[in-house]
Amino acid sequence: VQSPGRLQAILGEPTPFDGLDARQLRRRRSYKWSAYPPDVLPAFVAEMDLPLSPAVTATLSAAVAAGDAGYAREDLLPMAFAGFARRRWSWEVDPDCAVLMPDTMSGVARAIEILTVSGDGVVFTPPVYGPFARTIERLGRKPIEAPMGYAAGRWQLDLEAIDAALAAGARAVLLCNPHNPTGAIPTAAELQALVDLAAHHGAWIVSDEVHGPLALPGQQFTPLLKLGPSRAITIFSASKAWNVPGLKCALAIGGDAATSRALNALANELRHPSHLGVLAATAAFDGVAGGDGWLDQVTRHLAVQHERARALLGELMPLIRPARADAGYLLWLDCRALNLGDAPATAFLERGRVALSPGLEFGTQGAGFARLNLGTSGPLLLEAVSRMQAALATSG
Ligand SMILES: Cc1ncc(COP(=O)(O)O)c(C=O)c1O
């Protein structure tokens, strides 16, 4: 049995986000903090517990104070995003090619609709964000699996499987860059190989890059469109990195002018974001009032959280094998050695009162896995991992 002092020591130096108050968080009415009874610690859905950035808070507060809750204007956010892309990724985006969307997934859905027709195969890379397969299917396209590979401790795209699926007639690839739930960032070389093989087969790439701004310090995120493919649409949003998914706003960017025109031609009701979402995203991407500094602070904290999670799991549950994430606040846990069956998250919830995302939400490849959300404070991460261990202790 590990002493509490030893576990506290694993947390190490406090970060600026370690002082979160669970009682205050429980007053949030968003899904994460209201889906379960109060004795359950939520560590599932991709919302962070961190406060909003000062720039986003000031912008939203001013809007509310001014009764500024009307319809969005469309020109400022693409310019703010283009500035962010240049500063952060040395990527030149033409603001005229960026089309506002209500959220990331509606951008993904509209892209698939524009680029493919009913019955077309769309390749995706499970285990992956669950709505991908459901959206492909709901649109009348055929979801085709090219499961992620796992080699030398790293999850990666299986380019051969994608090549085979495209050779067999699939018309598009739905990429998750960075990848949820594994946290993997494809290298520029892997992305280039994907671009080349899509071009070879005359196929399209739809790239969901919502986790891109959350590349951990020292990790290089490459926006797909920086490589210059024309047959592509990329979707970005401030929703994950600035923790504003409830504000409903994203950007879809076409790889060439014709593709962007097709996005622009969508009916208004399919693509209008919320005004508050546009204001918040513009403040976030603008980098004013400490915007990029805030993002740096967040990613530094997340890097510490990943290190803490590895150390705590190694100490308390060494049979669990965590993925090595390059980005984000989600940790993909291989729990198969625990012998808890296909859904270890059920045991953690029922016996430990901590809610992780069940691995099966990400496809059949997730059997025996669970996803832990570490977008919280060190003490709350310690609490989550301790509850997981308590579940094992009572597993008989
Ligand atoms: C890869 C990925 N895409 C899309 C979303 C949803 O984003 P939005 O709420 O902006 O649609 C998520 C949320 O977790 C995600 O992880």
Side-chain angles (χ1 to χ4, degrees), residues 45-47 102-108 128-129 131-132 175-180 208-211 236-237 239-240 244-246 248-250 329-330 371:
V45 67
E47 295 177 25
D103 55 30
T104 310
M105 275 314 291
S106 58
V108 166
V128 75
Y129 184 55
F132 277 16
L175 186 66
C176 194
N177 171 35
H179 188 261
N180 170 9
D208 175 339
E209 305 194 344
V210 65
H211 294 277
F236 281 94
S237 172
S239 64
K240 294 297 142 187
V244 288
K248 292 287 155 196
C249 176
Y329 53 87
L330 305 168
R371 191 191 71 179

Side-chain angles (χ1 to χ4, degrees), residues 221-285:
F221 163 72
T222 305
L224 178 84
L225 292 182
K226 194 179 166 186
L227 302 178
S230 52
R231 295 171 75 84
I233 291 178
T234 288
I235 298 94
F236 281 94
S237 172
S239 64
K240 294 297 142 187
W242 285 268
N243 205 31
V244 288
L247 295 182
K248 292 287 155 196
C249 176
L251 288 155
I253 307 173
D256 61 13
T259 310
S260 297
R261 274 198 301 276
L263 287 164
N264 241 322
L266 287 164
N268 278 349
E269 68 271 21
L270 291 178
R271 61 184 181 86
H272 266 184
S274 101
H275 175 49
L276 292 179
V278 171
L279 293 179
T282 305
F285 288 125

Side-chain angles (χ1 to χ4, degrees), residues 78 91 113 208 262 299 323 339 362:
W91 171 37
E113 278 173 338
D208 175 339
T299 54
N339 291 321
F362 305 86

Side-chain angles (χ1 to χ4, degrees), residues 20-21 27 34 42 66 73 82 104 162 166 183 202-203 206 213-214 222 227 248 255 277 281-282 305 307 325 350-351:
L20 298 177
D21 178 346
R27 288 206 283 273
S34 63
R73 58 185 277 187
T104 310
I162 295 173
L166 295 178
V206 176
L214 286 175
T222 305
L227 302 178
K248 292 287 155 196
T282 305
Q305 289 289 85
E307 285 313 312
E350 289 177 355
R351 301 187 211 132

Side-chain angles (χ1 to χ4, degrees), residues 5-359:
R6 164 136 184 79
L7 298 178
Q8 284 295 336
I10 288 179
L11 293 185
E13 289 294 308
T15 80
F17 299 115
D18 276 348
L20 298 177
D21 178 346
R23 273 169 315 182
Q24 210 167 341
L25 288 166
R26 287 196 190 282
R27 288 206 283 273
R28 286 188 182 178
R29 289 174 294 174
S30 67
Y31 186 54
K32 183 180 183 196
W33 283 95
S34 63
Y36 287 99
D39 68 322
V40 171
L41 183 66
F44 67 115
V45 67
E47 295 177 25
M48 285 197 282
D49 294 341
L50 313 191
L52 297 178
S53 82
V56 169
T57 302
T59 297
L60 292 175
S61 304
V64 170
D68 183 9
Y71 294 112
R73 58 185 277 187
E74 306 208 355
D75 50 343
L76 297 181
L77 175 56
M79 284 194 289
F81 180 76
F84 178 81
R86 184 179 308 118
R87 288 194 307 278
R88 203 81 183 167
W89 303 314
S90 308
W91 171 37
E92 291 299 326
V93 179
D94 177 355
D96 288 341
C97 287
V99 177
L100 271 51
M101 290 283 152
D103 55 30
T104 310
M105 275 314 291
S106 58
V108 166
R110 297 295 85 75
I112 291 173
E113 278 173 338
I114 287 173
L115 305 177
T116 63
V117 298
S118 185
D120 277 352
V122 177
V123 186
F124 70 112
T125 59
V128 75
Y129 184 55
F132 277 16
R134 292 197 291 277
T135 296
I136 295 168
E137 210 152 37
R138 205 177 47 249
L139 296 173
R141 277 60 169 173
K142 219 164 45 196
I144 300 188
E145 297 192 349
M148 294 289 282
Y150 185 77
R154 187 169 176 272
W155 288 90
Q156 53 198 16
L157 296 173
D158 184 340
L159 291 165
E160 280 179 26
I162 295 173
D163 191 22
L166 295 178
R171 301 302 305 141
V173 178
L174 175 50
L175 186 66
C176 194
N177 171 35
H179 188 261
N180 170 9
T182 66
I185 297 182
T187 64
E190 286 167 332
L191 284 182
Q192 186 62 58
L194 176 67
V195 167
D196 292 345
L197 65 89
H200 174 73
H201 293 291
W204 291 85
I205 304 174
V206 176
S207 190
D208 175 339
E209 305 194 344
V210 65
H211 294 277
L214 286 175
L216 298 175
Q219 300 295 334
Q220 189 59 49
F221 163 72
T222 305
L224 178 84
L225 292 182
K226 194 179 166 186
L227 302 178
S230 52
R231 295 171 75 84
I233 291 178
T234 288
I235 298 94
F236 281 94
S237 172
S239 64
K240 294 297 142 187
W242 285 268
N243 205 31
V244 288
L247 295 182
K248 292 287 155 196
C249 176
L251 288 155
I253 307 173
D256 61 13
T259 310
S260 297
R261 274 198 301 276
L263 287 164
N264 241 322
L266 287 164
N268 278 349
E269 68 271 21
L270 291 178
R271 61 184 181 86
H272 266 184
S274 101
H275 175 49
L276 292 179
V278 171
L279 293 179
T282 305
F285 288 125
D286 251 344
V288 293
D292 287 353
W294 172 263
L295 184 59
D296 291 337
Q297 232 181 340
V298 169
T299 54
R300 275 199 301 271
H301 172 72
L302 295 180
V304 170
Q305 289 289 85
H306 277 285
E307 285 313 312
R308 289 166 165 172
R310 300 186 81 77
L312 290 169
L313 289 166
E315 184 84 12
L316 296 178
M317 287 169 285
L319 289 178
I320 293 182
R321 286 179 32 201
R324 186 161 282 286
D326 306 320
Y329 53 87
L330 305 168
L331 186 58
W332 187 233
L333 303 176
D334 181 349
C335 304
R336 289 174 296 184
L338 295 176
N339 291 321
L340 292 174
D342 283 353
T346 305
F348 296 136
L349 177 61
E350 289 177 355
R351 301 187 211 132
R353 309 308 283 163
V354 56
L356 280 71
S357 295

